Amino acid sequence: MDTRERLIQSTRELLWERGYVGTSPKAIQERAGAGQGSMYHHFHGKPDLALAAITRSAEETRSRAEAELGGPGSAAGRIAAYLRRERDALRGCPVGRLTQDPDVMADPRLRAPVEEYFTWLTDRLAGLLEQGRAGGELGPGLDPAATAAALVAVVQGGYVLARAAGSAEAYARAVDGALTLLTRQTPAKEGR
Amino acid sequence: MDTRERLIQSTRELLWERGYVGTSPKAIQERAGAGQGSMYHHFHGKPDLALAAITRSAEETRSRAEAELGGPGSAAGRIAAYLRRERDALRGCPVGRLTQDPDVMADPRLRAPVEEYFTWLTDRLAGLLEQGRAGGELGPGLDPAATAAALVAVVQGGYVLARAAGSAEAYARAVDGALTLLTRQTPAKEGR
DNA sequence: GTCTATAACCTGATAGAC
DNA sequence: GTCTATCAGGTTATAGAC
C-alpha cells in the first residue's frame, strides 16, 4: 500500500474512532507512518484528506450493505440478514458517525457522501419492503418509505444503545425488536 | 444565574453542539462570560466541568421524557406522545451525542450518567409496553424489552437521519414508521 | 472569587532543502 | 516524493496578584 493510500486508510480509521475535530494531521501521519511534507504533498490539507476518506468509507459501507440487500432470499429475509449481519456494534457506523460532526456537516463537500449514503440505503430498503408487500410476504398496510426510515434508524440508534451499555447485545436487542414488529413473529433467538 | 451555573450551562450547550473534544475551556469561558481563573476556581478542569454538565443534561432529558411517558392516556398513546413530542431533531439528543465521544466513554465517571439514562428510558418504555400488552391494547406476542430497545433506537437513529438529510422530516418519518409497526394502523399524517 | 501572566505542548499549515 | 524548519495561534492548565 503506497503512502497516499495509507494516509486515506489512517484518516478513515481516525474519523471513525474520534471524529473530525478529534482527528489531527499529526495523528494521521503517525498512524500512516508518513511525514508532514508527505501528507501535504498528496493532499491540500485536512479537509481534502477527509473528503477522500469519507468518500471511500461511504462507498465501502454501501457495498457491504448491498451484499446482503441484493443477496438471495425473500425481501424480509434479506432485510433480516442485513440487520443481523455480523457487526462490531460498539464501533458504530463509520458514515453515521460523521453526522455528529458539525465541521463535516457544515462543509457541503464533506457532507454530500454522507447524505447520499443514507438516501441510497433508505430507498434500497423501501424498494425491498415494497417488493415484500407486493408478494404478500408483508402486510398490505405497510408504508415502505416510513418503514425503511424506521429500520435504518434502528441500526443507527442500535449503535448508540450498544455504546451506552458498553455491550453489543443492546444492538441485537433493538434489531430483534424491530424485526419482530416487521414480521410479527417471535424472532429466532438461538442464533445468539 | 451565577458564574458557576453559567459555566455549566455553556458547557452543556457546547458538549451538545460540538462534543467533548470539540469543546475547549476557552470556548466555555467565552460563552459563559467568565475568565480563566473563574473557571478553575469553580471546577478542577475540563473533565470535572463536563461531569457537572453531563449529569445535569441526563437529569433534565429524563425529566422531559417522563413528562410524556408518565402523562395521561393509554400506554401506546403515551409512547406516541413521547416519540412525536416537539423536538429540534437536527440538534439531536444531548445525551445520545455523548456516546460518540471516545473521551467521555473512556471515563467511567463521565460515562455513568449516559449509561444510566438509556437504561432508565428503555426500562420505562418496556414497562409501558408490558402494561399495554396486559390491557390488550398491544399484541400478546410483543416482547417488551426488545420493542423498547427498538423504539429508543428509532429516536436516536432518527436524529442521525435528520442530520444526514438536513431536515427534521426524516426524524418524523422514522418515528411514523415505528409507530405504524407498533400499532399496526396508518399513522395520522394531518399533524404535519 | 476573579484577574493576568506564564508555560509546555498541540494544531494546521507553509517554505524550501534534498 | 519526502524531509526538516518554522510559524501564528489554540489548548489546558498553574501561579500568584488583587
Side-chain angles (χ1 to χ4, degrees):
Chain A
M1 198 158 49
D2 65 2
T3 302
R4 190 190 147 85
E5 190 61 24
R6 285 204 315 280
L7 284 165
I8 294 178
Q9 296 302 338
S10 300
T11 306
R12 289 181 59 195
E13 291 172 18
L14 284 164
L15 284 180
W16 193 0
E17 294 167 15
R18 308 199 39 85
Y20 188 85
V21 245
T23 298
S24 68
K26 190 184 184 183
I28 293 169
Q29 291 152 27
E30 279 170 4
R31 191 173 291 211
Q36 186 98 307
S38 193
M39 188 193 111
Y40 283 101
H41 168 73
H42 290 288
F43 299 95
H44 293 147
K46 187 176 165 177
D48 187 37
L49 182 42
L51 178 59
I54 292 172
T55 302
R56 189 74 68 80
S57 288
E59 282 168 3
E60 206 170 277
T61 305
R62 173 173 164 163
S63 289
R64 280 191 60 81
E66 181 59 26
E68 267 89 23
L69 296 177
S74 66
R78 284 192 264 170
I79 289 172
Y82 168 68
L83 292 172
R84 290 203 172 109
R85 176 227 292 164
E86 196 173 358
R87 292 163 192 260
D88 195 344
L90 288 172
R91 297 190 72 191
C93 172
V95 185
R97 169 72 173 90
L98 302 167
T99 61
Q100 301 303 318
D101 244 305
D103 294 352
V104 170
M105 300 315 277
D107 183 333
R109 303 218 310 150
L110 297 182
R111 183 218 179 93
V114 176
E115 178 161 5
E116 196 194 34
Y117 167 72
F118 281 108
T119 300
W120 171 81
L121 180 59
T122 307
D123 288 352
R124 187 71 175 89
L125 280 171
L128 232 35
L129 289 166
E130 172 62 43
Q131 192 180 312
R133 185 178 65 172
E137 187 188 348
L138 298 167
L142 181 136
D143 176 341
T147 307
L151 292 174
V152 175
V154 164
V155 170
Q156 295 297 318
Y159 293 140
V160 171
L161 291 182
R163 289 181 69 95
S167 159
E169 278 290 316
Y171 173 87
R173 196 149 41 239
V175 159
D176 276 352
L179 286 175
T180 304
L181 288 178
L182 182 66
T183 63
R184 292 172 175 105
Q185 64 192 15
T186 314
K189 294 213 169 174
E190 334 80 64
R192 277 200 330 284
Chain B
M1 199 157 52
D2 65 3
T3 302
R4 192 190 145 84
E5 190 61 25
R6 286 204 314 279
L7 284 165
I8 294 178
Q9 296 303 337
S10 300
T11 306
R12 290 181 58 195
E13 292 171 16
L14 284 165
L15 285 179
W16 193 1
E17 295 167 15
R18 308 200 39 85
Y20 188 85
V21 246
T23 297
S24 67
K26 190 182 184 184
I28 293 169
Q29 292 152 26
E30 279 172 0
R31 192 173 291 209
Q36 186 101 306
S38 191
M39 188 193 113
Y40 283 99
H41 168 74
H42 291 288
F43 300 94
H44 292 146
K46 188 176 165 179
D48 187 39
L49 182 42
L51 177 58
I54 291 172
T55 303
R56 189 73 67 80
S57 287
E59 282 168 4
E60 207 169 277
T61 305
R62 173 174 164 162
S63 287
R64 280 191 59 82
E66 181 59 26
E68 266 90 21
L69 297 177
S74 67
R78 284 193 264 171
I79 289 171
Y82 168 67
L83 292 172
R84 292 205 170 108
R85 176 226 291 163
E86 194 173 359
R87 293 164 192 260
D88 195 343
L90 288 172
R91 297 191 72 191
C93 172
V95 184
R97 169 73 173 89
L98 302 167
T99 62
Q100 301 302 319
D101 244 305
D103 295 352
V104 169
M105 300 315 276
D107 183 334
R109 303 217 312 148
L110 297 182
R111 183 216 179 95
V114 176
E115 177 160 8
E116 196 194 36
Y117 168 72
F118 281 107
T119 300
W120 171 81
L121 180 59
T122 307
D123 288 352
R124 187 71 176 90
L125 280 171
L128 231 36
L129 289 166
E130 170 62 42
Q131 192 180 312
R133 185 177 65 172
E137 187 187 347
L138 298 169
L142 180 135
D143 177 342
T147 309
L151 292 175
V152 175
V154 164
V155 169
Q156 295 298 317
Y159 292 141
V160 172
L161 291 182
R163 288 179 69 96
S167 159
E169 279 289 318
Y171 172 87
R173 196 150 41 237
V175 160
D176 276 352
L179 286 174
T180 303
L181 289 177
L182 182 66
T183 64
R184 292 168 177 110
Q185 61 192 15
T186 314
K189 294 214 169 173
E190 333 77 61
R192 285 198 323 282

